[in-house]
Amino acid sequence: MTMSINSPAATAAERESILSGLQEDIDHLPNALARIAKYILENPEKVLHHSVGELGEFAGSGEASILRLCRQIGFSGFRDFKLALAAEIGRPRPPSTAAQQPNAALQTLHDTMARNLGIAHSNADLEALEKLAEVIAASRRIDLYGAGMSGVTGELLAYRLLRVGLTALAFRNSNMAHEVANGLSPGCVAIGLSISGLTVDTVQFLKGARSAGALTVAITNRARSPLGKSADFILQASGLDDHPIGGTLTPMIGKIFVIESLMLALGKAMDKSVAK
């Protein structure tokens, strides 16, 4: 049983799945609370060592919003929430599981990655890919920005674009990305990557690029997000099914599928351009 942001105080049984509850409810949260939930999901171990003020600083939300989120998911306050979170992420697995099923962890990993790949495939919009590919093929310049693991994925896409002869610049430093974005104009493309679609710097990057006249693209696992609202094209990867504890790479699987799908469409668009 998972928690609901609209329900009264959660029972002890409901509190057994804090991360799953936040994952399920993030699409329905106001942006300030969603940013907090995103940070908790991505950094549960770090949250245990944060004060309410530190969490607010890292999540880009106020202390009042943190306390509001804690109460909405059934806790009396931040301390109560942290105690329950510590119990959840530190809960050991039953010792019999590993002995009886030595391949269980690998099978779970396989299933998670396969599920993310399947979701990304089902979200693929061929018409949108073809239209976007035509614009990218004719673009003067492509700027890409992502924070953390999304920044690594952005560099992979930039590499793929450079290999086919396009001008692509990938940034993981937000200050540099915003400074260089001043050179964007009509005929350019800006691509923002974010698993949750809530990363403030990435959203601001796309907003600035759109203001400069560039076509904007969001590659995200959450289409209904501030990043999606700032984009002319949304390429949705897999869902928000993972709890990226410890920086797992599994959320990248859907994005890699999106990148290669875009490159397939781009190859066709560039062939058409040469034929003309």
Side-chain angles (χ1 to χ4, degrees):
M1 183 181 297
T2 58
M3 301 168 291
S4 171
I5 60 172
N6 298 314
S7 66
T11 65
E14 288 173 327
R15 289 180 183 175
E16 289 179 5
S17 197
I18 298 170
L19 296 176
S20 293
L22 289 174
Q23 195 84 71
E24 183 176 314
D25 289 333
I26 194 169
D27 276 333
H28 309 290
L29 290 168
N31 286 342
L33 301 191
R35 285 196 298 271
I36 300 166
K38 168 186 177 290
Y39 184 83
I40 293 170
L41 288 167
E42 293 179 348
N43 307 278
E45 307 100 325
K46 292 182 180 179
V47 171
L48 299 179
H49 304 287
H50 288 339
S51 66
V52 65
E54 289 170 336
L55 175 56
E57 183 177 350
F58 284 114
S61 296
E63 295 182 19
S65 294
I66 295 170
L67 296 176
R68 178 184 168 197
L69 177 63
C70 290
R71 293 186 183 116
Q72 284 190 349
I73 61 178
F75 297 97
S76 60
F78 185 54
R79 182 175 181 277
D80 186 26
F81 166 77
K82 284 207 299 183
L83 288 172
L85 180 62
E88 175 170 327
I89 66 177
R91 190 178 298 128
R93 297 182 180 180
S96 59
T97 301
Q100 295 173 4
Q101 301 179 26
N103 193 41
L106 287 178
Q107 185 62 49
T108 298
L109 177 61
H110 170 275
D111 292 346
T112 299
M113 296 176 78
R115 183 173 62 251
N116 283 349
L117 189 60
I119 294 172
H121 178 243
S122 65
N123 286 331
D125 184 335
L126 292 178
E127 184 177 351
L129 284 168
E130 289 175 358
K131 289 181 179 178
L132 176 57
E134 290 177 359
V135 176
I136 290 178
S139 64
R140 292 189 298 102
R141 165 181 156 188
I142 306 147
D143 279 16
L144 305 95
Y145 177 77
M149 194 57 64
S150 292
V152 176
T153 313
E155 290 176 345
L156 292 175
L157 177 52
Y159 168 77
R160 295 287 281 119
L161 294 170
L162 286 166
R163 283 295 301 265
V164 297
L166 297 174
T167 302
L169 306 169
F171 302 94
R172 281 195 277 169
N173 180 295
S174 59
N175 290 331
M176 185 177 296
H178 293 308
E179 290 174 4
V180 174
N182 291 331
L184 292 173
S185 61
C188 298
V189 175
I191 302 175
L193 302 94
S194 170
I195 291 174
S196 66
L198 290 164
T199 307
V200 175
D201 286 339
T202 310
V203 174
Q204 292 302 318
F205 165 74
L206 274 199
K207 285 183 176 179
R210 174 180 271 181
S211 297
L215 181 130
T216 55
V217 183
I219 298 179
T220 180
N221 289 21
R222 184 170 172 253
R224 291 167 46 197
S225 64
L227 188 68
K229 292 178 182 177
S230 304
D232 299 306
F233 284 89
I234 302 173
L235 301 182
Q236 186 173 353
S238 49
L240 288 170
D241 297 324
D242 291 314
H243 304 143
I245 297 175
T248 175
L249 300 180
T250 53
M252 288 183 68
I253 302 302
K255 284 206 184 80
I256 291 174
F257 181 86
V258 168
I259 287 173
E260 292 306 319
S261 298
L262 178 58
M263 295 307 300
L264 285 174
L266 184 58
K268 293 180 181 178
M270 296 180 79
D271 286 343
K272 288 181 181 178
S273 178
V274 171
K276 291 179 181 179

